[in-house]
Amino acid sequence: SYHGPDYCIREHGEHLANALREIACANPGQPISFITHSLGGLVLRAAINDPNCPEEARCGRAVLLACPNQGSRFGRRMGRIPFVRAILSR
């Protein structure tokens, strides 16, 4: 049921926050920790900043592997090419 391209990072974060609420309800007071890779780190950050995210997730620990916190150099370079920009803006 993964809808990768159907949602933006914020929307994925909202869905994750909702799932975390269910986990927190089943395990009240237990910190929820995370290991993420790449875009998953951005989704986690969006979920943690969502107002519906439970405290159990906010007080847990997180390891973000290869998370593009400052974007992608390749993506920025490609965005400067008019042809690529025209294709991606559709």
Side-chain angles (χ1 to χ4, degrees):
S1 65
Y2 175 68
H3 298 284
D6 298 336
Y7 301 112
C8 68
I9 292 172
R10 181 188 49 77
E11 291 168 319
H12 278 298
E14 290 172 5
H15 295 142
L16 178 57
N18 291 334
L20 292 172
R21 276 198 355 248
E22 292 178 21
I23 294 169
C25 285
N27 304 286
Q30 291 278 343
I32 303 171
S33 295
F34 307 89
I35 298 176
T36 69
H37 180 260
S38 191
L39 187 59
L42 299 180
V43 172
L44 176 61
R45 286 182 24 206
I48 296 296
N49 288 307
D50 188 277
N52 293 320
C53 185
E55 187 60 33
E56 288 85 351
R58 291 186 175 151
C59 70
R61 296 179 183 212
V63 176
L64 282 62
L65 301 171
C67 182
N69 290 313
Q70 296 178 349
S72 163
R73 276 188 278 166
F74 178 74
R76 282 192 296 276
R77 273 192 234 132
M78 294 301 289
R80 292 184 193 128
I81 301 171
F83 173 73
V84 173
R85 205 170 46 235
I87 290 172
L88 295 177
S89 65
R90 291 181 184 183

